[in-house]
Amino acid sequence: MTYDRFIKAAVAGLALALATVPSTAPAETLQVLRGAPSSALQVPMNRAVVVESDTPFAELSIANPGIADISSLSDRTIYVLGKEPGRTTLTILGADGSLITNVEVHVTPDIAEFKERLEQILPGEPIEVRTANSGIVLSGTVSSIARLDRALELAERYAPERVSNLMSVGGTQQVMLRVQFAEMQRSVSQSLSSSLALGGSALGGDLGLSGGTNTLNTSSDVNNAFGGQIPPISQNNGAMLFGFNAGGIEVGILLEALESRGMVRTLAEPNLTALSGQEARFLAGGEYPVPVSQDNGSITIEYKPFGVELNFIPRVIDGDLINLELEAAVSSIDPSNGITQGSFTVDAFRRRETSTTVEMRDGESFAIAGLLSDDFRDLSGQVPWLGDIPVLGALFRSADFARQQTELVIIVTPHLVTPTRGEVYALPTDRVRPPSERDLFLFGRVSSDEAPRSGGAGEVARQDFSGSYGYVLD
């Protein structure tokens, strides 16, 4: 009984040991026969294939040892190792020097390992891998340009400079960029100044005396004051001149007070569409001629663009993730800062621009530039000593205050877009029609009241309202 148990345990252990030994796959071999044409031998790079001959051979020769290396394992077995992608010929000779056969050896990139790595790095991508003329050919449709670049970069590791890209990118690859320029400028300025003039017989007839911080400076100003006229020297809108007699002295007082407020609002909203990876340019404005002096003394004209400018390159990275490389600018002519040289007057430009690269998803917005400027100026002047006199010294002082604020922001919003039928779009000119002779001459209308009935403009026209509409709350 004990002997039977020992036999059963030994058999079970032997079976378990045999089960744990890994099975070896059969080696790749090629059979060659004397006098028969041999098929091409496909050898992956850095891998080996065994060639077996039915006839003992005495000599081996390889045409290009840089492509494949050979060694004999026996008088009937040859070991062929692939070194570099390419084609070469293996020649097998018999003992009498006769030719047994020629074997064409094709060394190709190891696409088996490449396919494994490709599946690990880009799972789920339907990429087909083939070999052609010692290179790798990739085909199929990938989901994004980023994945396409990764596949090409990996293929270059296995076949440097021998990768053919036949892949295409699926999904939406056109990007519409919406850029908003918003600028607000506010300015406030206040000024107050005064002047005093004295004249009359008490001061010696035509003798006059004047002082202050503005434009009243002769005895004639006093005479004009009594006539109720503002001196032409003063250009302020808030000037007031009055005078009175105090015995034989004529007194003229000029008070100038000015307060101004201003606000400027600028908004530009250019839209531009481009294919992923391609540059698009947009300019809504014009070109300004600028004279340029040459070395020979002649004058040539160069044109500088101004207006709303937009240059950008979109790249759809993965899905709806978009990389934007853009340059945006809004410029206008500024005559106040121009220069005059000889007979030429060249205006300056007022320009707000930005150049940056951002990354965002479809429909998201990004404030790529912003500016908050607050300029403040306060100036006070007076006549020495006279301006320090209490109460009366106010006639010999002036104060000037100015403040200017500027706010600027640039916002970009990309959208993945697809083309549509042209008739669904409504143009600004679609709803304006030339008037008939009856409308023009009888009713004085400069456009026809008839609304379009088809296309996008017709759809917009059908949404218009006439008469009373909405809600009334009592």
Side-chain angles (χ1 to χ4, degrees), residues 128-398:
E128 299 180 3
V129 183
R130 299 181 179 88
T131 59
N133 193 22
S134 72
I136 294 179
V137 179
L138 302 179
S139 61
T141 302
V142 294
S143 59
S144 66
I145 293 181
R147 292 176 176 262
L148 183 145
D149 293 338
R150 292 173 189 170
L152 292 178
E153 183 179 357
L154 182 61
E156 287 288 338
R157 298 282 185 177
Y158 291 87
E161 299 181 359
R162 294 188 302 274
V163 179
S164 298
N165 177 24
L166 301 181
M167 295 183 292
S168 59
V169 181
T172 304
Q173 296 298 313
Q174 295 185 113
V175 180
M176 184 191 75
L177 182 63
R178 177 186 178 190
V179 182
Q180 294 175 292
F181 296 86
E183 183 178 17
M184 184 70 72
Q185 297 180 1
R186 293 181 293 269
S187 61
V188 177
S189 64
Q190 296 174 337
S191 63
L192 176 64
S193 60
S194 61
S195 294
L196 174 66
L198 303 175
S201 58
L203 296 177
D206 295 333
L207 178 62
L209 176 64
S210 63
T213 58
N214 213 293
T215 59
L216 188 62
N217 50 20
T218 64
S219 59
S220 61
D221 291 328
V222 180
N223 299 327
N224 290 333
F226 294 124
Q229 301 177 4
I230 296 178
I233 302 176
S234 176
Q235 301 296 328
N236 282 345
N237 297 327
M240 180 177 61
L241 178 63
F242 62 92
F244 60 90
N245 293 333
I249 300 177
E250 299 173 352
V251 180
I253 301 176
L254 174 65
L255 297 177
E256 291 181 296
L258 175 64
E259 180 178 8
S260 63
R261 300 176 182 268
M263 183 177 66
V264 178
R265 176 178 179 267
T266 302
L267 179 64
E269 191 173 332
N271 296 337
L272 190 58
T273 303
L275 189 64
S276 177
Q278 302 297 318
E279 183 180 10
R281 297 176 177 270
F282 177 89
L283 173 62
E287 291 186 340
Y288 183 79
V290 177
V292 178
S293 177
Q294 303 299 319
D295 295 337
N296 57 5
S298 61
I299 301 296
T300 60
I301 300 297
E302 291 185 2
Y303 289 88
K304 302 294 183 180
F306 68 92
V308 180
E309 302 175 63
L310 176 62
N311 303 335
F312 84 108
I313 302 177
R315 294 181 179 89
V316 182
I317 299 177
D318 192 3
D320 61 346
L321 186 62
I322 304 170
N323 178 279
L324 291 175
E325 181 181 347
L326 61 94
E327 298 177 358
V330 173
S331 57
S332 58
I333 299 176
D334 186 8
S336 61
N337 292 323
I339 61 173
T340 300
Q341 184 173 6
S343 59
F344 291 101
T345 299
V346 181
D347 296 328
F349 286 87
R350 187 170 181 268
R351 186 176 180 88
R352 287 82 71 203
E353 64 178 320
T354 181
S355 176
T356 185
T357 301
V358 294
E359 192 172 278
M360 65 192 77
R361 297 192 177 274
D362 176 25
E364 294 181 341
S365 297
F366 216 128
I368 62 171
L371 170 67
L372 177 60
S373 175
D374 191 350
D375 295 332
F376 175 83
R377 180 174 59 87
D378 190 1
L379 178 63
S380 177
Q382 68 177 24
V383 177
W385 303 298
L386 296 179
D388 297 329
I389 301 175
V391 182
L392 187 60
L395 299 177
F396 301 94
R397 289 195 299 266
S398 67

Side-chain angles (χ1 to χ4, degrees), residues 34-35 55-59 91-102:
R34 176 185 287 272
T55 305
F57 57 83
E59 187 177 352
T91 302
I92 305 175
L93 302 176
D96 56 354
S98 61
L99 177 66
I100 297 178
T101 186
N102 284 325

Side-chain angles (χ1 to χ4, degrees), residues 425-461:
Y425 288 110
L427 301 178
T429 57
D430 290 343
R431 301 179 63 191
V432 179
R433 296 190 175 187
S436 62
E437 295 182 356
R438 177 173 175 271
D439 291 335
L440 179 61
F441 295 108
L442 186 59
F443 298 102
R445 298 169 181 166
V446 295
S447 63
S448 176
D449 292 338
E450 182 180 357
R453 300 180 180 179
S454 61
E459 178 65 25
V460 175

